[in-house]
Structure formats: C-alpha cells, structure tokens
Amino acid sequence: MSRSHISVTDLVTEENPACPVAEVLDRVAGKWAIGILVAAAKGPVRFTELERRVEGISRRMLTLNLRKLEREGLLERTVYPTVPPKVEYTCTPMAMELHETLMTLVDWAKRHSADIARAQEAYDAAQAADVA
Amino acid sequence: MSRSHISVTDLVTEENPACPVAEVLDRVAGKWAIGILVAAAKGPVRFTELERRVEGISRRMLTLNLRKLEREGLLERTVYPTVPPKVEYTCTPMAMELHETLMTLVDWAKRHSADIARAQEAYDAAQAADVA
DNA sequence: CCGTATCCCATACGATACTG
DNA sequence: CAGTATCGTATGGGATACGG
C-alpha cells in the first residue's frame, strides 16, 4: 500500500492523474473486506458474531480489517462500557451504497464457480499436454 | 490461496458448506485483476497496451495475473505467430458479465474517494488525541 | 514484442498466548 | 467479550537482467 504507485483507475480518470481511487479499490479488494462488509450489512453486529459469520478469519485479521474499514469510514464502531464489554459494528451509509454491488459480485461468483473450476482443469490439462 | 479455508460466502451459501465461491472472489479481489479486466473489456488488447493502461503494474505482475485470469477462464489469449510476435487478450463472456459490476465499483470509489480521505484524516486525528 | 528468471523485500496471514 | 502481543511462514510484488 505504498503511495508511490497508482493502479486501477487512471483508466477511468484520465483528467486527474493523481487520483487515489485505485487505493480505495485495493481496500475493498482485500481478502476479507467483502465478507466483513456483507456480514455487517444487516445491522449492528458484535465482534464475536462477525468472527462466526466470516468463516475462516482469524481473530487478528478480523481486528486489523475492522480497524482499517473503520478508518476508511465504511464501518462505525460503538463501544458500550459494560461488563463484559460490548462492541457493535455498523455499516455506514457509504458502505451500504456498496452492498448491492457486492452482492452482485457474490452472485456472479456463485453462478460461475463451476465454470471456473472447469476452465482451470482444462488449462492445467493443456499445460500438461504441452510438457509431454 | 490454500484450499484449507473458506472465507466469504458461507454467509450466502449456507446450503453448500464446501462451496469455493470465496476463492473465486479472492481472485477478482486481487490488486490488479479489476484493472486488467476493465482494460481488456473494450476489445482485444495487446500485452504492451495493457502494460500502458494498467498504470503502475510491473511486467512480471502483468504476466502472472494474465496467466491466472486465463486459467480461470476470464481472459482468452491469442498468439499470432508473426515476427515480432503479437498476442491479444480478450474478455470471455463470463468476464463481460462482470464488467458492469466492476464499473459500478469503480464509480463508487470515484464518488467517495474524498469522503474516505477525510474519514482517514479524522480517524488519525482522533487517535493522536487519545495518545495525548 | 512478449515474455522468463532471479533476487530480495514488505506485508498479509495464521497460530498461539495473554489481558482489561 | 473483545481485543493485543509475538512469532513464524507464505505470498505478493518491485527491480533487474536475459531470451525467442
């Protein structure tokens, strides 16, 4: 995430060369961001509940990603000073704007996961044939 | 990309526990994939042209990502055995289905990049205040 | 023109253990 | 409950040089 390079969107923003849109996309494009955002879209969610919903994520990675998303203004973190502590995460309106797009992405992945698996097999088979 | 964990979509596919949708999303979610796909959506593109359009990408990373996307069945690679060699990359129909969603994502990033920058500043300022 | 090969660093990530 | 700390590995990615 160094500031020294721009990646995606100079394609789209040719009038503004230093536009940081690429960085923004890089964030959403992390391994866990989409899962967390989708899991938090239905309403306030507690830390442990997120840990359950985003399957496979470690406690550490969940924390790091939550902090990052909060810093970007995509999640709001609310601490209730009770014992035991209670912390809730909520999508901001900005993040909610993204929700439909994210779901479309997930839906596309679902529809094509079999195609992709077949494509990979075919590709690998072709490679193996070239070696021989 | 180990096969041992599932991440995103158990949220969505609770009837199919071993669904590899998460992996698929992980691919699209890489640092360069979106940029490459968008750049290739307008028609057949040559290697060098991609190198120019996806600003900041190294030759190595472009090659690796092109191979990955080809293997997944998102790009088709056509070699013309001329001298000098000519290679064209084209989005498959499956990838084209994704194009609108990708553009929506890019558009969202453009609309909110300033908001995000401000959110980050505010967050950092709050952190600094907590230390003091 | 379209790559590959090598080296090396930064960071993402997981596992485990500890705490207010 | 909701984290933090520390450690170790794996992968991503840049720089450079070379090749068909």
Side-chain angles (χ1 to χ4, degrees):
Chain A
M1 303 300 180
S2 73
R3 261 114 207 92
S4 59
H5 62 279
I6 317 108
S7 65
V8 167
T9 38
D10 307 85
L11 302 161
V12 194
T13 62
E14 277 154 331
E15 79 286 335
N16 182 4
C19 170
V21 178
E23 288 184 21
V24 175
L25 284 179
D26 285 353
R27 318 282 169 154
V28 177
K31 185 179 184 180
W32 303 109
I34 295 180
I36 293 173
L37 254 20
V38 171
K42 299 156 195 166
V45 196
R46 300 183 61 171
F47 185 89
T48 308
E49 181 61 21
L50 280 170
E51 209 174 356
R52 266 192 304 266
R53 289 202 202 166
V54 184
E55 220 158 305
I57 196 169
S58 66
R59 190 160 287 188
R60 174 180 146 77
M61 277 304 108
L62 181 55
T63 303
L64 287 177
N65 277 279
L66 287 173
R67 291 291 175 276
K68 200 174 72 170
L69 291 169
E70 188 196 356
R71 190 172 106 97
E72 288 162 2
L74 292 175
L75 288 181
E76 194 181 1
R77 181 172 176 267
T78 315
V79 182
Y80 300 90
T82 57
V83 179
K86 178 179 170 181
V87 180
E88 279 183 349
Y89 293 89
T90 315
C91 282
T92 62
M94 184 162 67
M96 285 308 293
E97 264 185 65
L98 206 53
H99 185 245
E100 234 188 82
T101 308
L102 261 28
M103 292 307 291
T104 307
L105 215 60
V106 171
D107 180 61
W108 175 90
K110 286 178 67 174
R111 291 203 321 275
H112 292 293
S113 68
D115 301 316
I116 291 176
R118 261 187 280 104
Q120 289 178 342
E121 275 182 53
Y123 184 93
D124 294 344
Q127 291 307 96
D130 281 357
V131 173
Chain B
M1 304 298 176
S2 76
R3 259 114 207 91
S4 58
H5 62 281
I6 319 108
S7 65
V8 167
T9 39
D10 307 86
L11 302 162
V12 195
T13 62
E14 278 154 330
E15 79 286 337
N16 182 3
C19 170
V21 178
E23 288 183 22
V24 174
L25 284 180
D26 285 354
R27 317 282 169 156
V28 177
K31 185 179 183 179
W32 304 108
I34 296 180
I36 293 173
L37 253 19
V38 171
K42 299 157 195 167
V45 195
R46 300 183 62 171
F47 186 89
T48 309
E49 180 61 20
L50 281 170
E51 210 174 355
R52 268 192 303 267
R53 288 202 201 167
V54 184
E55 221 157 305
I57 197 170
S58 66
R59 191 161 285 188
R60 172 182 145 80
M61 277 302 110
L62 180 56
T63 303
L64 288 178
N65 276 279
L66 287 173
R67 292 291 175 276
K68 201 173 71 169
L69 291 169
E70 187 196 356
R71 190 173 106 98
E72 288 163 0
L74 292 175
L75 288 181
E76 193 180 1
R77 179 171 178 268
T78 314
V79 182
Y80 300 91
T82 57
V83 178
K86 176 180 171 181
V87 180
E88 279 183 349
Y89 293 91
T90 316
C91 282
T92 61
M94 184 163 66
M96 286 307 292
E97 264 185 65
L98 206 53
H99 186 245
E100 235 188 82
T101 307
L102 261 28
M103 292 308 290
T104 307
L105 214 60
V106 171
D107 180 61
W108 174 90
K110 286 178 66 175
R111 290 203 321 277
H112 292 293
S113 68
D115 301 316
I116 291 177
R118 262 187 280 104
Q120 289 178 340
E121 275 182 54
Y123 183 94
D124 294 346
Q127 291 307 94
D130 281 357
V131 173

PDB file of all heavy atoms in Angstrom, chain B residues 36-53:
ATOM      1  N   ILE B  36      -7.069  -4.932 -14.921  1.00  0.00           N
ATOM      2  CA  ILE B  36      -6.817  -5.679 -16.147  1.00  0.00           C
ATOM      3  C   ILE B  36      -8.114  -6.000 -16.864  1.00  0.00           C
ATOM      4  O   ILE B  36      -8.240  -5.803 -18.078  1.00  0.00           O
ATOM      5  CB  ILE B  36      -6.039  -6.974 -15.829  1.00  0.00           C
ATOM      6  CG1 ILE B  36      -4.637  -6.634 -15.331  1.00  0.00           C
ATOM      7  CG2 ILE B  36      -5.970  -7.873 -17.059  1.00  0.00           C
ATOM      8  CD1 ILE B  36      -3.847  -7.830 -14.834  1.00  0.00           C
ATOM      9  N   LEU B  37      -9.085  -6.466 -16.114  1.00  0.00           N
ATOM     10  CA  LEU B  37     -10.369  -6.829 -16.702  1.00  0.00           C
ATOM     11  C   LEU B  37     -11.046  -5.624 -17.351  1.00  0.00           C
ATOM     12  O   LEU B  37     -11.580  -5.721 -18.460  1.00  0.00           O
ATOM     13  CB  LEU B  37     -11.277  -7.421 -15.611  1.00  0.00           C
ATOM     14  CG  LEU B  37     -11.547  -8.928 -15.595  1.00  0.00           C
ATOM     15  CD1 LEU B  37     -10.535  -9.736 -16.372  1.00  0.00           C
ATOM     16  CD2 LEU B  37     -11.673  -9.433 -14.163  1.00  0.00           C
ATOM     17  N   VAL B  38     -11.012  -4.499 -16.670  1.00  0.00           N
ATOM     18  CA  VAL B  38     -11.605  -3.295 -17.230  1.00  0.00           C
ATOM     19  C   VAL B  38     -10.862  -2.875 -18.493  1.00  0.00           C
ATOM     20  O   VAL B  38     -11.466  -2.509 -19.491  1.00  0.00           O
ATOM     21  CB  VAL B  38     -11.598  -2.141 -16.199  1.00  0.00           C
ATOM     22  CG1 VAL B  38     -12.010  -0.830 -16.845  1.00  0.00           C
ATOM     23  CG2 VAL B  38     -12.527  -2.464 -15.032  1.00  0.00           C
ATOM     24  N   ALA B  39      -9.555  -2.973 -18.430  1.00  0.00           N
ATOM     25  CA  ALA B  39      -8.752  -2.560 -19.583  1.00  0.00           C
ATOM     26  C   ALA B  39      -8.964  -3.461 -20.785  1.00  0.00           C
ATOM     27  O   ALA B  39      -8.809  -3.032 -21.925  1.00  0.00           O
ATOM     28  CB  ALA B  39      -7.267  -2.537 -19.206  1.00  0.00           C
ATOM     29  N   ALA B  40      -9.327  -4.709 -20.521  1.00  0.00           N
ATOM     30  CA  ALA B  40      -9.494  -5.661 -21.616  1.00  0.00           C
ATOM     31  C   ALA B  40     -10.935  -5.743 -22.110  1.00  0.00           C
ATOM     32  O   ALA B  40     -11.218  -6.429 -23.090  1.00  0.00           O
ATOM     33  CB  ALA B  40      -9.015  -7.048 -21.180  1.00  0.00           C
ATOM     34  N   ALA B  41     -11.825  -5.026 -21.462  1.00  0.00           N
ATOM     35  CA  ALA B  41     -13.247  -5.190 -21.759  1.00  0.00           C
ATOM     36  C   ALA B  41     -13.652  -4.574 -23.091  1.00  0.00           C
ATOM     37  O   ALA B  41     -14.634  -4.988 -23.696  1.00  0.00           O
ATOM     38  CB  ALA B  41     -14.083  -4.586 -20.628  1.00  0.00           C
ATOM     39  N   LYS B  42     -12.877  -3.604 -23.556  1.00  0.00           N
ATOM     40  CA  LYS B  42     -13.283  -2.869 -24.760  1.00  0.00           C
ATOM     41  C   LYS B  42     -12.974  -3.615 -26.043  1.00  0.00           C
ATOM     42  O   LYS B  42     -13.300  -3.149 -27.125  1.00  0.00           O
ATOM     43  CB  LYS B  42     -12.599  -1.504 -24.778  1.00  0.00           C
ATOM     44  CG  LYS B  42     -12.971  -0.633 -23.586  1.00  0.00           C
ATOM     45  CD  LYS B  42     -11.891   0.415 -23.322  1.00  0.00           C
ATOM     46  CE  LYS B  42     -12.090   1.033 -21.931  1.00  0.00           C
ATOM     47  NZ  LYS B  42     -10.914   1.824 -21.498  1.00  0.00           N
ATOM     48  N   GLY B  43     -12.300  -4.734 -25.893  1.00  0.00           N
ATOM     49  CA  GLY B  43     -11.939  -5.487 -27.095  1.00  0.00           C
ATOM     50  C   GLY B  43     -10.569  -6.096 -26.914  1.00  0.00           C
ATOM     51  O   GLY B  43      -9.956  -5.945 -25.866  1.00  0.00           O
ATOM     52  N   PRO B  44     -10.083  -6.794 -27.946  1.00  0.00           N
ATOM     53  CA  PRO B  44      -8.773  -7.436 -27.858  1.00  0.00           C
ATOM     54  C   PRO B  44      -7.685  -6.405 -27.565  1.00  0.00           C
ATOM     55  O   PRO B  44      -7.653  -5.348 -28.187  1.00  0.00           O
ATOM     56  CB  PRO B  44      -8.579  -8.029 -29.252  1.00  0.00           C
ATOM     57  CG  PRO B  44      -9.951  -8.117 -29.831  1.00  0.00           C
ATOM     58  CD  PRO B  44     -10.720  -6.986 -29.242  1.00  0.00           C
ATOM     59  N   VAL B  45      -6.843  -6.708 -26.598  1.00  0.00           N
ATOM     60  CA  VAL B  45      -5.757  -5.801 -26.237  1.00  0.00           C
ATOM     61  C   VAL B  45      -4.435  -6.543 -26.236  1.00  0.00           C
ATOM     62  O   VAL B  45      -4.357  -7.688 -25.799  1.00  0.00           O
ATOM     63  CB  VAL B  45      -5.977  -5.205 -24.829  1.00  0.00           C
ATOM     64  CG1 VAL B  45      -5.068  -4.008 -24.634  1.00  0.00           C
ATOM     65  CG2 VAL B  45      -7.411  -4.826 -24.617  1.00  0.00           C
ATOM     66  N   ARG B  46      -3.421  -5.891 -26.709  1.00  0.00           N
ATOM     67  CA  ARG B  46      -2.094  -6.497 -26.726  1.00  0.00           C
ATOM     68  C   ARG B  46      -1.391  -6.297 -25.394  1.00  0.00           C
ATOM     69  O   ARG B  46      -1.746  -5.410 -24.607  1.00  0.00           O
ATOM     70  CB  ARG B  46      -1.263  -5.891 -27.860  1.00  0.00           C
ATOM     71  CG  ARG B  46      -1.903  -6.108 -29.206  1.00  0.00           C
ATOM     72  CD  ARG B  46      -1.041  -5.560 -30.312  1.00  0.00           C
ATOM     73  NE  ARG B  46       0.251  -6.240 -30.357  1.00  0.00           N
ATOM     74  CZ  ARG B  46       1.125  -6.066 -31.349  1.00  0.00           C
ATOM     75  NH1 ARG B  46       0.835  -5.244 -32.345  1.00  0.00           N
ATOM     76  NH2 ARG B  46       2.267  -6.704 -31.350  1.00  0.00           N
ATOM     77  N   PHE B  47      -0.390  -7.105 -25.191  1.00  0.00           N
ATOM     78  CA  PHE B  47       0.352  -7.090 -23.924  1.00  0.00           C
ATOM     79  C   PHE B  47       0.866  -5.695 -23.566  1.00  0.00           C
ATOM     80  O   PHE B  47       0.603  -5.177 -22.473  1.00  0.00           O
ATOM     81  CB  PHE B  47       1.522  -8.074 -24.012  1.00  0.00           C
ATOM     82  CG  PHE B  47       2.264  -8.241 -22.722  1.00  0.00           C
ATOM     83  CD1 PHE B  47       1.880  -9.193 -21.796  1.00  0.00           C
ATOM     84  CD2 PHE B  47       3.364  -7.441 -22.435  1.00  0.00           C
ATOM     85  CE1 PHE B  47       2.578  -9.354 -20.601  1.00  0.00           C
ATOM     86  CE2 PHE B  47       4.064  -7.597 -21.249  1.00  0.00           C
ATOM     87  CZ  PHE B  47       3.673  -8.546 -20.336  1.00  0.00           C
ATOM     88  N   THR B  48       1.556  -5.092 -24.475  1.00  0.00           N
ATOM     89  CA  THR B  48       2.166  -3.793 -24.211  1.00  0.00           C
ATOM     90  C   THR B  48       1.125  -2.721 -23.944  1.00  0.00           C
ATOM     91  O   THR B  48       1.329  -1.836 -23.112  1.00  0.00           O
ATOM     92  CB  THR B  48       3.057  -3.375 -25.395  1.00  0.00           C
ATOM     93  OG1 THR B  48       3.951  -4.452 -25.688  1.00  0.00           O
ATOM     94  CG2 THR B  48       3.849  -2.141 -25.056  1.00  0.00           C
ATOM     95  N   GLU B  49       0.006  -2.838 -24.656  1.00  0.00           N
ATOM     96  CA  GLU B  49      -1.082  -1.886 -24.438  1.00  0.00           C
ATOM     97  C   GLU B  49      -1.630  -2.012 -23.020  1.00  0.00           C
ATOM     98  O   GLU B  49      -1.894  -1.016 -22.341  1.00  0.00           O
ATOM     99  CB  GLU B  49      -2.195  -2.143 -25.472  1.00  0.00           C
ATOM    100  CG  GLU B  49      -3.386  -1.212 -25.361  1.00  0.00           C
ATOM    101  CD  GLU B  49      -3.023   0.250 -25.571  1.00  0.00           C
ATOM    102  OE1 GLU B  49      -1.965   0.529 -26.167  1.00  0.00           O
ATOM    103  OE2 GLU B  49      -3.794   1.116 -25.102  1.00  0.00           O
ATOM    104  N   LEU B  50      -1.769  -3.246 -22.543  1.00  0.00           N
ATOM    105  CA  LEU B  50      -2.201  -3.465 -21.171  1.00  0.00           C
ATOM    106  C   LEU B  50      -1.204  -2.870 -20.187  1.00  0.00           C
ATOM    107  O   LEU B  50      -1.580  -2.241 -19.193  1.00  0.00           O
ATOM    108  CB  LEU B  50      -2.358  -4.965 -20.897  1.00  0.00           C
ATOM    109  CG  LEU B  50      -3.645  -5.611 -21.411  1.00  0.00           C
ATOM    110  CD1 LEU B  50      -3.565  -7.125 -21.288  1.00  0.00           C
ATOM    111  CD2 LEU B  50      -4.849  -5.076 -20.659  1.00  0.00           C
ATOM    112  N   GLU B  51       0.052  -3.069 -20.494  1.00  0.00           N
ATOM    113  CA  GLU B  51       1.102  -2.543 -19.632  1.00  0.00           C
ATOM    114  C   GLU B  51       0.959  -1.034 -19.486  1.00  0.00           C
ATOM    115  O   GLU B  51       1.207  -0.477 -18.423  1.00  0.00           O
ATOM    116  CB  GLU B  51       2.461  -2.898 -20.247  1.00  0.00           C
ATOM    117  CG  GLU B  51       3.553  -3.082 -19.231  1.00  0.00           C
ATOM    118  CD  GLU B  51       4.838  -3.568 -19.889  1.00  0.00           C
ATOM    119  OE1 GLU B  51       4.839  -3.847 -21.105  1.00  0.00           O
ATOM    120  OE2 GLU B  51       5.847  -3.665 -19.168  1.00  0.00           O
ATOM    121  N   ARG B  52       0.552  -0.383 -20.557  1.00  0.00           N
ATOM    122  CA  ARG B  52       0.362   1.066 -20.506  1.00  0.00           C
ATOM    123  C   ARG B  52      -0.910   1.430 -19.753  1.00  0.00           C
ATOM    124  O   ARG B  52      -0.929   2.354 -18.957  1.00  0.00           O
ATOM    125  CB  ARG B  52       0.292   1.640 -21.917  1.00  0.00           C
ATOM    126  CG  ARG B  52       1.636   2.108 -22.460  1.00  0.00           C
ATOM    127  CD  ARG B  52       1.442   2.914 -23.731  1.00  0.00           C
ATOM    128  NE  ARG B  52       0.716   2.145 -24.739  1.00  0.00           N
ATOM    129  CZ  ARG B  52       1.312   1.411 -25.686  1.00  0.00           C
ATOM    130  NH1 ARG B  52       2.628   1.360 -25.747  1.00  0.00           N
ATOM    131  NH2 ARG B  52       0.606   0.751 -26.566  1.00  0.00           N
ATOM    132  N   ARG B  53      -1.989   0.692 -20.017  1.00  0.00           N
ATOM    133  CA  ARG B  53      -3.286   1.082 -19.456  1.00  0.00           C
ATOM    134  C   ARG B  53      -3.389   0.837 -17.956  1.00  0.00           C
ATOM    135  O   ARG B  53      -3.998   1.621 -17.234  1.00  0.00           O
ATOM    136  CB  ARG B  53      -4.409   0.294 -20.142  1.00  0.00           C
ATOM    137  CG  ARG B  53      -4.646   0.737 -21.562  1.00  0.00           C
ATOM    138  CD  ARG B  53      -6.038   0.347 -22.003  1.00  0.00           C
ATOM    139  NE  ARG B  53      -6.143   0.295 -23.457  1.00  0.00           N
ATOM    140  CZ  ARG B  53      -7.149  -0.250 -24.103  1.00  0.00           C
ATOM    141  NH1 ARG B  53      -8.139  -0.823 -23.433  1.00  0.00           N
ATOM    142  NH2 ARG B  53      -7.190  -0.255 -25.411  1.00  0.00           N
TER     143      ARG B  53
END
